[in-house]
Amino acid sequence: MPLTSLAVFLGSSPGTDPALRRLAREVGDGLARRGIRLVYGGGGRGLMDDVAGGALAAGGEVVGVIPREMVTREWGRDDLTEVHVVDSMHERKALMAQRADAFLALPGGLGTLEEVFEVWTWRAIGFHDKPVGFLDAGGFWTPLLDAMDGLVAAGFLTRATLDDLVVADTLEAALAGLESRLAPGDDGGLRPGT
């Protein structure tokens, strides 16, 4: 099945490495050029701003979902294809999940981790069957993903759940992995409660 809409989780700050800003912009551009709608948190700062800017500059569709409090603080963008203002972070994540075919984490901090771990958990327990991935460009996520092996060894995470994650160092490889898990009848070997 083709991927038509991707939720991207990433930092609301730019980080310290300028390469991450370029990466976010290239991801936005790459999604737009492939006709994949970007769904993201609606932010107008940091890497969030860069991914949206990259997609918009390439003529892509960008759906932003942002809590009202963040709009009040002027943290959002108003030049997106669609802007959905919601009342809470919970509503934000639920609407982003509803609007996306799959999920991809780019570099980011606590918010990025919280968002991607929640949708990954939802997939693992059978609340949805949408694939989840990490864009591990430059090995950014490698230490975290290596730590997940400790959870497997300790019996708190199944190997199948960890192996179900798409981990790739390029956007092209990430999209291919996510699309391969969209195939009809593929549930990644997971069942509710795994």
Side-chain angles (χ1 to χ4, degrees), residues 25-184:
R25 197 157 185 85
E26 289 167 5
V27 166
D29 177 86
L31 294 177
R33 292 185 188 284
R34 290 170 174 85
I36 299 171
R37 180 183 314 106
L38 168 66
V39 178
Y40 88 118
R45 296 181 177 191
L47 301 186
M48 292 178 75
D49 188 51
D50 294 319
V51 75
L56 291 169
E61 288 184 46
V62 181
V63 177
V65 184
I66 187 166
R68 190 172 317 284
E69 178 63 25
M70 291 181 177
V71 173
T72 301
R73 295 180 189 186
E74 298 182 351
W75 289 356
R77 290 183 69 133
D78 59 7
D79 61 344
L80 307 176
T81 311
E82 296 177 33
V83 176
H84 299 273
V85 179
V86 296
D87 290 325
S88 70
M89 293 293 281
H90 296 293
E91 289 179 68
R92 177 197 219 179
K93 291 181 294 183
L95 185 55
M96 287 177 68
Q98 180 184 2
R99 297 296 306 268
D101 297 332
F103 309 93
L104 186 64
L106 271 63
L110 286 178
T112 302
L113 288 172
E114 188 267 338
E115 289 169 328
V116 73
F117 273 95
E118 183 167 67
V119 295
W120 184 22
T121 300
W122 291 349
R123 178 171 167 89
I125 61 177
F127 284 10
H128 69 74
D129 60 0
K130 299 176 181 185
V132 179
F134 284 83
L135 184 56
D136 194 29
F140 182 87
W141 292 117
T142 299
L144 173 71
L145 296 169
D146 286 347
M148 295 292 104
D149 281 319
L151 296 180
V152 172
F156 292 109
L157 179 66
T158 67
R159 174 56 57 189
T161 299
L162 183 56
D163 290 346
D164 184 53
L165 273 183
V166 172
V167 179
D169 60 0
T170 65
L171 178 62
E172 184 175 346
L175 294 176
L178 292 169
E179 284 189 340
S180 74
R181 285 161 173 78
L182 287 174

Side-chain angles (χ1 to χ4, degrees), residues 10-27:
L10 72 172
S12 60
S13 68
T16 58
D17 184 351
L20 298 181
R21 296 199 75 177
R22 288 191 299 276
L23 172 68
R25 197 157 185 85
E26 289 167 5
V27 166

